[in-house]
Amino acid sequence: MTQAYRMIVRQHGGPDVIEREDMDTPVLAHGQVLVATEAIGLNYIDTYFRTGLYPGDLPLTLGQEGAGRVAAVGPGVTAFSVGDRVASGTGKGSYTTHWVVSQDQLVALPDSIDSTDAAAMMLKGMTAEFPLRQTTRVRPGHS
């Protein structure tokens, strides 16, 4: 693998506490997928973790959503293969070159959606889906 790195925070604070850190190739556990990150989503939740508004163990690798290609699969992974295009809006630690995500937190990307768009829409899509399908069922004639 090429040089891998991640963006972490070792203390809570402003953007100045974000550091780039080299990292070793992650070892995959059962059901995990290694994604070569092509794009990440930037969200308020990342700011909340960075500032300490939301609790998180430090050091903390930032990022909640991203997209890329499967670089490796761990034991028990059946849904994806090396080279597949994938995205996630619930995998923690996407601010990295190589992101470890559980296969059940990934979706396959069709060719019609590029990685940049996918990384930007995952959390927003889940946010929109919740009130439209979980809270109430929007039907013809609703506004």
Side-chain angles (χ1 to χ4, degrees), residues 46-65:
D46 303 315
T47 302
Y48 298 159
F49 279 113
R50 178 180 42 80
T51 62
L53 181 63
Y54 287 2
D57 294 332
L58 297 175
L60 172 69
T61 303
L62 296 169
Q64 300 292 311
E65 66 183 335

Side-chain angles (χ1 to χ4, degrees), residues 1 23-28 31-37 68-74 77 81-84 86 96-102 106:
M1 178 187 325
M23 63 183 225
D24 294 328
T25 303
V27 176
L28 300 176
Q32 290 183 327
V33 174
L34 182 65
V35 177
T37 308
R69 291 197 179 268
V70 174
V73 296
V77 172
S81 299
V82 172
D84 287 351
V86 294
T96 181
T97 57
H98 295 81
W99 187 26
V100 176
V101 185
S102 175
L106 289 169

